[in-house]
Each structure stands twice: as C-alpha cells, then as structure tokens.
Amino acid sequence: MPANADSTPTPRPPGPVIAGLLLAAGGGRRLGGRPKALLEYRGRPLVENAVRVLREAGCGPLHVVLGASAAEVRERADLTGCVVVDNPDWAQGMGSSLRVGLASLAGTGASAALVSLVDQPGIGPAAVARVRGAYRSPASLVAAAYGGERGHPVLFGADRWADIAATATGDKGARVHLTEHANELTLVECGDIAEAFDIDTPPDLARLA
C-alpha cells in the first residue's frame, strides 16, 4: 500500500490536478547494480532532484515508485511530501512500475499523471512545466520532444490510465499506447530548454558531476 513519507500535503496550483509520477525503481544493471535513485547528484540522491523538478513544475500530488534497494532509498533520501510506493516486481521492467504508479493515483482526484524518469537530470522544471501546460482534458496525451523526437516526460490524462496499465509490459512502458494513439499525441518541443540523456552506463556518470 502507498505510504505517505510525510503528512504535509504538496501545495497545488489552481486548475486541474496534475499528479507527478516519478519512476525510480531501476536497479542500474549496466551500472554494476547501483540503484539509480541513489546515484549522487549535487551531493544528494538523484531521486531528490527528480522530486524537486516535479514539484517546482507545479505537479501534485507527487508519487514515487521505488524498487531496487527501496528500504535504503527511503532511509537516505528526503521524500517529504511524497507518496512512496514499492514495486516488488521492479525487475520485470518499467511497465510494472508504471502500472503500480498509476494504480496508486486512483482516488486522488488527479486529472492526469505527468510521468518522469529518475535518471534524466538534464530535464528541469521548465521542460516539465511546458508539458504540464499542454494538458487540456482527462483524455490528453502529451509528450516532450527533442528535435521532433518523442521523449520524456509524458502526460497521460486519467481517461487513458486503464488502457496504459493493460498494455504496459516489460521495458516498453507506455510505448504501445503511445504508438497506437500517435494521431492523438501532442508533442511539446523541449530541446531548447532541456537535455534528454539517461544515466545508463558508467561513462554516463560523468554527467552527474
């Protein structure tokens, strides 16, 4: 069951409730088994930066899906104000974390979920806010684009959650839904204000310096 890391609610801006859903369960297989949430970034766990970005972009409530070394992440990272959700099946891939995260948003009153990944520190609040601002209805389907190519974060209106959960398997995440509904997708160019690199391999760690 989801557990509040702190009882203090995240302040919500006026307008529709756009939840921030952070996927932070990865075990860092190509990083020698170093959980991505705990990689050091500016002196603190990387997961804290990702939470800050969502918060500063106006998202709330904030839900964080943990998996690899979840207990250690809870102990070391400041996730105040977040709903922290454990995904026991995190090793099955991103799809399982997305399903767990969307399920945790049931009953929150959120009109949409803005989904971000913990290992993309080059994407800051400005880009997230730009994607958030493209919300129009619970049927909205929005993704950041970099040079016209679809990337993260992505925004899923609540009307789409059930279908996304049903098709999110392995490491595909929401790609099946995004592909099948490409004609309904709004791309928001963010290449001018963000860099969409991932921290996947040891050479990528230099980007955290």
Side-chain angles (χ1 to χ4, degrees):
M1 295 292 291
N4 280 309
D6 187 87
S7 59
T8 305
T10 300
R12 295 179 181 173
V17 175
I18 310 298
L21 177 56
L22 175 62
L23 305 185
R29 178 177 54 83
R30 286 181 286 173
L31 290 167
R34 300 171 63 183
K36 291 187 176 183
L38 289 175
L39 295 175
E40 186 171 310
Y41 182 61
R42 296 178 179 174
R44 296 297 302 166
L46 187 57
V47 66
E48 290 184 12
N49 174 74
V51 166
R52 175 190 62 80
V53 168
L54 287 171
R55 182 176 286 122
E56 291 183 5
C59 296
L62 302 179
H63 287 217
V64 180
V65 181
L66 300 181
S69 301
E72 186 179 359
V73 176
R74 287 172 181 268
E75 179 181 347
R76 290 177 51 189
D78 181 2
L79 300 177
T80 301
C82 298
V83 173
V84 182
V85 189
D86 288 331
N87 174 19
D89 299 320
W90 63 268
Q92 294 181 8
M94 187 190 305
S96 65
S97 291
L98 182 56
R99 292 196 304 272
V100 167
L102 291 176
S104 75
L105 291 172
T108 63
S111 299
L114 193 147
V115 181
S116 67
L117 307 181
V118 73
D119 67 340
Q120 294 188 319
I123 300 174
V128 176
R130 191 176 284 184
V131 172
R132 183 187 181 280
Y135 171 85
R136 295 295 178 267
S137 78
S140 288
L141 185 64
V142 184
Y146 301 88
E149 296 295 321
R150 188 185 77 222
H152 283 86
V154 291
L155 182 147
F156 304 126
D159 289 353
R160 297 182 179 272
W161 294 354
D163 184 64
I164 290 169
T167 57
T169 58
D171 280 322
K172 293 180 180 179
R175 274 181 279 177
V176 172
H177 186 88
L178 288 165
T179 299
E180 291 180 348
H181 298 271
N183 61 328
E184 302 163 38
L185 176 65
T186 298
L187 289 177
V188 178
E189 182 58 46
C190 294
D192 58 320
I193 53 174
E195 294 182 90
F197 59 83
D198 301 320
I199 306 299
D200 283 334
T201 64
D204 296 332
L205 294 174
R207 291 179 176 270
L208 297 176

